Amino acid sequence: MLEERVTVTVHASDPLSRAGVISHLQHQPSLELLQGQVTTGHGTGTGPGKDRGGAVDPHPDGTAATPATPGIVAVMIVDRLDDVATAELRRLVRGGEQRVVLVARELREPELMTVVECGIRAILWRHQATPQRLLRAVRSAARDEGELPPDLIGRLLTQVGRLRRSVVETTAGAAVPTLGMAPREVDVLRLVAEGMDTRQISEKLSYSERTVKNVLHALMTRLQLNNRAHAVAYALREGYI
């Protein structure tokens, strides 16, 4: 048992999923449950003052809370990690002041790597999220420890190994990171975002056109991006440009 009670917030795209997790956690004496918000861009809680779980809403006006207290564990429930859920996940981990337990129905490989990039180490499958497992995951997250399904560990190791093998070399001989973007890639994408074509980018950066194409191809292959527009959108979302 933890010496201090763990403060928990619950985030979901629908009230039913959130209510189910709350019902699992609200009677645990080692947890302090903050309630009152339904997140991931689909509105706020069930009403001012108290919600269905019976705990006092820290925001009686019905606005969604943005916890900033160190040690808070945020439980986030998703079916798939789509763009809206990804944005919410990044919001929750921004600043490193709270730890996240992700309860997901499924995670594809690109989504799994997004989770890894965000630093999420406590994950449960929705069909396996019993009260005992959920409580254990919350406690593990509070201690900054990992909690992963066995099958997910194997997939993660396979994916990381594949990414390591796919490290590409720039023409200058410097390794491009397997996750994230290298400065050269950022430079090229910034010009793509400004509407420049391959020839204009090559002239601006004093690269050959072939180098520009290689940089973009390697980036899109490594991060599984569909085209230049997708690459620009990714760079904007992640704050590279």
Side-chain angles (χ1 to χ4, degrees):
M1 297 288 290
L2 294 175
E3 294 182 358
E4 298 182 357
R5 298 180 74 191
V6 178
T7 301
V8 179
T9 60
V10 181
H11 307 257
S13 60
D14 66 274
L16 288 178
S17 294
R18 181 172 174 273
V21 170
I22 288 173
S23 70
H24 285 340
L25 299 179
Q26 64 183 349
H27 300 302
Q28 296 293 336
S30 61
L31 305 182
E32 179 181 357
L33 200 62
L34 295 184
Q35 303 181 28
Q37 75 268 31
V38 177
T39 58
T40 67
H42 295 279
T44 56
T46 57
K50 293 177 180 290
D51 74 4
R52 291 172 184 150
V56 175
D57 187 343
H59 289 256
D61 61 357
T63 57
T66 305
T69 304
I72 284 181
V73 173
V75 178
M76 181 173 175
I77 311 102
V78 299
D79 282 333
R80 287 258 317 273
L81 203 61
D82 58 15
D83 290 342
V84 174
T86 297
E88 174 66 9
L89 182 63
R90 294 188 187 283
R91 184 190 70 80
L92 289 173
V93 301
R94 190 174 296 127
E97 294 180 334
Q98 57 185 326
R99 301 167 180 86
V100 177
V101 174
L102 182 64
V103 183
R105 190 176 302 279
E106 63 174 317
L107 288 173
R108 298 180 302 176
E109 287 191 356
E111 298 160 354
L112 178 57
M113 298 316 298
T114 297
V115 171
V116 172
E117 287 178 340
C118 288
I120 308 303
R121 292 193 292 168
I123 302 172
L124 285 175
W125 296 129
R126 291 189 66 159
H127 68 279
Q128 296 177 345
T130 63
Q132 294 76 17
R133 287 176 174 171
L134 187 57
L135 178 61
R136 185 175 64 198
V138 168
R139 288 174 173 169
S140 294
R143 294 190 296 263
D144 203 21
E145 298 174 354
E147 184 77 24
L148 299 175
D151 61 314
L152 192 57
I153 294 174
R155 285 176 52 196
L156 181 60
L157 290 174
T158 299
Q159 178 74 346
V160 170
R162 184 181 302 120
L163 284 171
R164 287 188 178 279
R165 290 191 296 272
S166 69
V167 174
V168 297
E169 300 292 327
T170 65
T171 55
V176 174
T178 57
L179 298 175
M181 295 172 58
R184 167 178 289 206
E185 294 169 336
V186 174
D187 291 340
V188 171
L189 274 186
R190 184 176 289 114
L191 297 180
V192 172
E194 293 177 4
M196 294 188 183
D197 58 23
T198 301
R199 179 184 59 79
Q200 292 169 319
I201 295 172
S202 69
E203 293 174 354
K204 182 74 173 180
L205 298 179
S206 299
Y207 296 160
S208 69
E209 292 188 30
R210 181 176 181 179
T211 295
V212 173
K213 292 178 181 178
N214 287 343
V215 168
L216 289 170
H217 180 266
L219 170 68
M220 290 186 289
T221 299
R222 190 176 75 253
L223 299 181
Q224 301 186 35
L225 304 170
N226 298 328
N227 48 46
R228 293 189 180 193
H230 191 190
V232 169
Y234 173 88
L236 287 169
R237 186 178 69 240
E238 300 300 317
Y240 289 103
I241 61 177

